[in-house]
Each structure stands twice: as structure tokens, then as C-alpha cells.
Amino acid sequence: MVMEERSCHTANRVGDVQMGNGHKRGRSEDSSSNNVSIGVETDKQDMLSNKAQKKWVFGKCVNLSAVDAPCFKEMMTVDGGQMGLESSDCHDLNGWRLQDALEEVQDRVEKIKESWAITGCSILLDAWVDQKGRDLVTFVADCPAGLVYLISFDVSDFKDDVTALLSLVNGLVEEVGVRNVTQIIACSTSGWVGELGELFAGHDREVFWSVSVSHCFELMLVKISKIRSFGDIFDKVNNIWLFINNNPSVLNIFRDQCHGIDITVSSSEFEFVTPYLILESIFKAKKNLTAMFASSNWNNEQCIAISNLVSDSSFWETVESVLKCTSPLIHGLLLFSTANNQHLGYVYDTMDSIKESIAREFNHKPQFYKPLWDVIDDVWNKHLHNPLHAAGYFLNPTAFYSTNFHLDIEVVTGLISSLIHMVEDCHVQFKISTQIDMYRLGKDCFNEASQADQITGISPAEWWAHKASQYPELQSLAIKILSQTCEGASKYKLKRSLAEKLLLSEGMSNRERQHLDELVFVQYNLHLQSYKAKLSEEIDVYKD
């Protein structure tokens, strides 16, 4: 990633990060009918309730034996039983209801798979070591149409055999379809996963390899904390946070000081981010905290310790220093988690924006920001970056048609590499090359489509689908690249105990094994469907 040093200084609050660039170039019923409707509504309610129960139990990966508990049945009863509805028992859920759910899930999965030929998909890899010491891995396919649980493996016996691991992954890619798989996103850079990633990076393969953006950001934060010697600052900040929120009387005093406003922390799906969000929240409350402890009498040992900490100017200097180093990364990651999941087209630009923000925090003094840039570049070059990011940056109209789009050798190389890897036919490659010139110059269909009002409010992949039908070859390539995610499987929080039970099949009959396979397939895919729906709702709110 190339990021040129900027000499200009722009005033900005701590941690400001932009995803992409916003500077685009200018341009009344009777009683009988009531009786009928009530009967229909009752049947509909019965059907919906049964379907909802089934979806909730399987989607939440509930232990099926738990549904026979009296408290569970009471919870699942509609209106205290007035509608005459009953919850399913364990036998039903393991029997015909499972088969019913299996058919529904299979139909949905097939529809998602049909979309892979157009949008491609990313295979997400989630690896872990269970309590028995086994090395397990689960594979999930991600595309705009939805997420699909593929399969789980126990790789304990061959985790040290990179060739065998490569064969496993290649087999899965072939099963999904080599032309359908755009990239593989790993969850880690260590162990057998890291070794496999190095093997992919060192060979000319049709499928790209990357590490999830959240894990890479976590690596950056860990490395920065080491070179900047943060020490015990997070423990101190957390002590303040707990002292206020765990003591009602103290919290009331603070609210009085702040006119009823609490110290709030933004939610995040990534646990490692929380300490940084607490740090930022405490820093924002610095003035009110200082005033509160200065105006009240604090007479016990803990109160005095917190009071001394809050009145220590060196403490606040350290907090501010940590925020300058890390806040741009934290807010960059939060942008990724709130924006459309298919955000590959924004990674390249956002990483540059993060680096620029860090430079501003240190008044563009290289001796302060360059070591932080070096950490970011190290993780970027070794783990996060693949050619798709550069190609996505080029093909993202929001970035490309902005006034500060920067075309460097890395972007050109990434675009060419993506084209060669993803398009086999040399004649099609040549056609795309000529069509890229039309896109670059804003000619033909791209003339009007490149205007600002044609780009805003629409995802890059959707823009290509709606605006570039005149050049179908380039359109197809762009959609496949821009439809990909940069986040890994851990984001979706699949219940690992299900896979662990599935892979502990010793002593099971074939029928038991098949039943467990079906149960895991249904539960995982319903969970992923629910998560995807929740994400779509959050995106709609984010757009509004």
C-alpha cells in the first residue's frame, strides 16, 4: 500500500477516518366476514407460530432436549395458551420438523449457490483448538445473496502436512467451483492456518488468500501497543469505568455533574475493540470527571485512588497519546462493521485514510507517525493485502471518480493480476482491457454514470450491475470483485460446540451421523441467515 506523506495540516478530531472519498468530480365489515377472518387468522397464527418456533430453535442452535423442559414450554406458549398453540417437543424437532427445516434450508442454499456464477463468493475459514486438543476448522461461503455453511473438518492428524492441508482446501474449492470462488479469508496468521496462507501467497493460484480485516487490525493494535509501551493504562481506565458504573451513588453524582448524561461506550462485535472504546469514552468525560472528583469528598481507599488518578495530568497525557495512535484504526474497523458487508472496494482507500488520519494526529511529524505507518504496512503487506483490494479500489466508482484518486504501480499491478487470475480466455482479457479505457475516460455509458448523483446511495457492485451493461465482460469482472467481503467467519459467531460434537463421531452409527450432519447443516445455516438479515437491517439504518 503506497501512502505519500502530506505536508499540509488539516484540523481534525481524534480518530477521524473516512471510508472512501467524498470528493467526486462535479456533476366496515359485516359479522360474517369477521367470523371468516378470525378463522383464517387463527390458522395463519398457528402456521406462523410453528414455523417461528422451528426457526428460532434451530437458528439459535438450542439443545433440542431443552424444549421438553416445562419452563421452555411455558415460554413458547402463545398468549398463555389462549390460542390453543403448543410448542414442539424434542421428538418432533429431531424428526419431521428437522426434515421440514432441512428442505427449507436446502432450497434457500441452492438459490444462494445459483448466484455464485454472477457474484462469485468468498470462502471463510474459522479454525480453533477445542478442549480435547483437536484442531478443527469450519468453512462458510459468503456472497451478497447470503451465507452458506459448507463443512467442518478435524485436521489434527495432518495439521503439520501442508500438502495435505492444501489438498483439503483445493478439494473444497473445486466442489464449490473454481470459477465461483474469488478468495479465501483466513481467521489467523499463526499455526497451520498461517503456514497454509504462506503457501498460497507463494504460488500463482486462481484463488486469492487474505486474512480477515478484524484480525489484521487486532495485530496492528498489538504491535503498536508494544512499540509505544502503553503499560497499564487500560487497567487504570477500566478501574475508573468500573468504579463509576458499579457504584450507584457515584454514578448519580457523575450524572448530576454531566446533567444526566452517562459515560457511554459504542457497541462492537469485536471484543478486542472494547478497551479502546472505553478509553475514548473516559477521555471524552475528562472535564466532568475532573470536576466531580474535585468537588466531592472521597474518603475511602478506592475513592482516593481513583480521585488521584483522575487528577494526574500525566495519566490524561498517556490516554490522549494512546488515542492518537489507535483511534483511527478503531474507527476504521467500526466503519467496516457498519457499512455494507461487501466492502472489498473500500479497503485500499480506507487504509490510506487511516494512515493519513494518524499523520494528522501527530501534526505530520514523521518521527512520530512513521513508526505507526510501518506497523500498518507490515501487517498489510504480509497478511491483509491481496491484488483484489487494489482492483476493488480501481473499480469502485466512488473512489475512482473522486478528485483525489491515486493510480500507482500497486493499483495497476493488482488490477492486471486480478484480471489474469479471474478470466481464462485471452480474447476476453483483451476486451476487458479496452473496456477499462472507456471506464477510465468516462466515455459511453460511463459518461453519465460517473457523475456524483449517479454514484451516491448505491453500492459499487450495484452500480456496475445497473450502469455498465454496455460492457458485459468488464461488468462481470467488476461485480465479482466488488461483491466480496473482507471479514472472516468469526464475525458470525457460529456455535463451535456443534461442530465439535459433529466431529466426535466415534461409535456413532451411519444413521446417527447423518442425523447430526443434517442438524448442524440446518442450525448453522439458519443462524447465518438470521445474522445476514440483522446485518441488512443495520445497513438500512446506517443509510438512513
Side-chain angles (χ1 to χ4, degrees):
M1 178 175 56
V2 176
M3 179 69 203
E4 295 181 346
E5 296 182 24
R6 314 272 174 89
S7 59
C8 59
H9 173 71
T10 305
N12 198 28
R13 64 181 176 82
V14 172
D16 252 4
V17 177
Q18 223 181 330
M19 177 174 281
N21 294 302
H23 312 290
K24 303 172 187 65
R25 62 186 177 93
R27 343 213 217 214
S28 127
E29 301 169 351
D30 61 28
S31 60
S32 61
S33 63
N34 284 339
N35 290 334
V36 172
S37 65
I38 290 172
V40 171
E41 189 62 32
T42 301
D43 291 340
K44 181 180 179 182
Q45 185 71 30
D46 185 45
M47 178 183 70
L48 291 175
S49 175
N50 288 331
K51 186 174 183 179
Q53 288 178 27
K54 175 180 64 182
K55 191 171 182 179
W56 186 86
V57 171
F58 289 128
K60 294 296 182 181
C61 302
V62 172
N63 186 328
L64 299 189
S65 62
V67 302
D68 287 336
C71 58
F72 186 90
K73 288 182 175 294
E74 183 179 350
M75 179 187 73
M76 295 295 287
T77 302
V78 178
D79 290 337
Q82 293 177 19
M83 296 293 291
L85 304 178
E86 296 181 358
S87 62
S88 303
D89 59 20
C90 181
H91 178 75
D92 284 344
L93 289 169
N94 272 304
W96 67 274
R97 288 205 184 280
L98 174 59
Q99 293 307 309
D100 189 26
L102 179 62
E103 289 181 10
E104 290 180 14
V105 171
Q106 285 175 333
D107 287 344
R108 181 177 177 277
V109 166
E110 285 306 312
K111 289 178 181 177
I112 293 174
K113 288 182 176 180
E114 288 173 3
S115 73
W116 290 347
I118 298 173
T119 65
C121 69
S122 298
I123 292 182
L124 317 182
L125 184 158
D126 183 28
W128 73 99
V129 179
D130 71 357
Q131 293 183 344
K132 298 180 181 295
R134 298 179 301 167
D135 285 88
L136 309 180
V137 58
T138 288
F139 293 96
V140 172
D142 181 290
C143 72
L147 295 144
V148 175
Y149 163 72
L150 298 174
I151 197 168
S152 297
F153 287 104
D154 181 347
V155 299
S156 304
D157 293 337
F158 55 94
K159 66 177 182 179
D160 297 323
D161 186 346
V162 180
T163 303
L165 291 169
L166 184 61
S167 177
L168 171 69
V169 174
N170 284 340
L172 183 64
V173 170
E174 289 177 7
E175 186 175 336
V176 173
V178 176
R179 288 298 154 195
N180 292 334
V181 180
T182 306
Q183 63 174 346
I184 297 172
I185 300 182
C187 57
S188 175
T189 60
S190 60
W192 67 266
V193 178
E195 293 178 8
L196 187 60
E198 291 177 3
L199 189 63
F200 262 84
H203 291 76
D204 187 27
R205 303 190 182 281
E206 294 173 308
V207 177
F208 295 104
W209 179 282
S210 185
V211 178
S212 72
V213 68
S214 61
H215 184 68
C216 288
F217 274 49
E218 185 176 12
L219 290 177
M220 293 173 191
L221 290 169
V222 169
K223 290 176 180 288
I224 288 173
S225 68
K226 290 179 179 178
I227 66 171
R228 298 292 295 197
S229 301
F230 291 163
D232 59 354
I233 191 64
F234 288 104
D235 292 333
K236 291 178 178 178
V237 167
N238 196 51
N239 287 339
I240 298 175
W241 170 261
L242 293 175
F243 176 74
I244 294 174
N245 287 281
N246 290 348
N247 293 279
S249 59
V250 177
L251 184 58
N252 287 333
I253 295 173
F254 179 79
R255 285 172 175 167
D256 289 340
Q257 184 69 44
C258 302
H259 307 290
I261 300 174
D262 289 334
I263 300 179
T264 57
V265 174
S266 303
S267 61
S268 173
E269 58 201 298
F270 308 111
E271 291 182 8
F272 69 89
V273 168
T274 302
Y276 295 91
L277 296 177
I278 292 176
L279 189 84
E280 184 176 60
S281 181
I282 291 294
F283 184 71
K284 287 179 179 178
K286 173 186 174 182
K287 182 178 179 180
N288 290 320
L289 284 170
T290 304
M292 180 183 77
F293 282 100
S295 62
S296 302
N297 294 321
W298 308 96
N299 48 24
N300 69 46
E301 186 177 340
Q302 185 184 22
C303 293
I304 294 172
I306 297 296
S307 178
N308 291 337
L309 186 59
V310 169
S311 61
D312 184 356
S313 60
S314 65
F315 164 76
W316 292 111
E317 288 172 3
T318 304
V319 170
E320 185 174 14
S321 176
V322 172
L323 285 174
K324 286 183 176 182
C325 295
T326 64
S327 195
L329 281 167
I330 296 299
H331 286 275
L333 182 58
L334 292 179
L335 271 175
F336 281 129
S337 64
T338 55
N340 191 305
N341 195 37
Q342 279 64 54
H343 46 48
L344 184 143
Y346 295 103
V347 172
Y348 198 93
D349 205 15
T350 302
M351 293 307 299
D352 272 355
S353 179
I354 288 170
K355 293 174 67 177
E356 187 176 352
S357 180
I358 290 174
R360 285 198 303 269
E361 297 294 352
F362 293 97
N363 298 318
H364 294 271
K365 294 179 180 179
Q367 66 269 32
F368 296 118
Y369 73 77
K370 279 288 286 179
L372 305 177
W373 279 23
D374 291 341
V375 168
I376 293 172
D377 287 342
D378 183 58
V379 175
W380 167 266
N381 292 324
K382 288 182 179 177
H383 307 300
L384 178 57
H385 179 59
N386 72 45
L388 291 173
H389 298 142
Y393 172 60
F394 183 92
L395 295 170
N396 179 357
T398 304
F400 186 80
Y401 291 119
S402 67
T403 55
N404 52 358
F405 175 79
H406 183 62
L407 186 62
D408 56 35
I409 187 63
E410 187 177 60
V411 175
V412 174
T413 303
L415 180 64
I416 294 173
S417 178
S418 299
L419 172 60
I420 293 173
H421 276 74
M422 297 177 67
V423 180
E424 284 184 307
D425 194 312
C426 294
H427 298 291
V428 177
Q429 289 179 7
F430 179 76
K431 288 185 72 173
I432 291 175
S433 297
T434 58
Q435 292 168 5
I436 285 175
D437 285 335
M438 297 296 103
Y439 168 70
R440 182 175 59 83
L441 298 172
K443 291 186 175 180
D444 294 343
C445 63
F446 298 116
N447 183 28
E448 180 182 353
S450 62
Q451 302 303 313
D453 62 345
Q454 298 293 309
I455 296 173
T456 55
I458 187 172
S459 74
E462 290 173 330
W463 183 88
W464 279 94
H466 295 141
K467 310 291 185 181
S469 57
Q470 187 176 346
Y471 297 109
E473 293 81 11
L474 177 58
Q475 180 189 50
S476 176
L477 176 67
I479 290 173
K480 277 199 171 182
I481 291 175
L482 295 167
S483 293
Q484 306 313 310
T485 182
C486 290
E487 192 48 75
S490 59
K491 174 189 175 101
Y492 304 110
K493 296 177 172 58
L494 287 174
K495 196 173 181 180
R496 288 173 170 176
S497 60
L498 284 175
E500 291 171 5
K501 185 177 180 180
L502 175 66
L503 297 170
L504 194 64
S505 57
E506 188 176 348
M508 284 188 189
S509 66
N510 290 336
R511 184 176 179 180
E512 290 172 327
R513 169 76 190 200
Q514 180 183 350
H515 175 268
L516 191 53
D517 262 328
E518 292 172 348
L519 181 61
V520 171
F521 179 81
V522 168
Q523 290 191 324
Y524 273 172
N525 279 300
L526 282 178
H527 174 83
L528 293 170
Q529 179 184 350
S530 175
Y531 198 103
K532 190 77 170 182
K534 178 184 176 184
L535 184 65
S536 297
E537 291 174 2
E538 291 175 351
I539 292 169
D540 290 339
V541 171
Y542 180 75
K543 286 180 178 179
D544 294 339

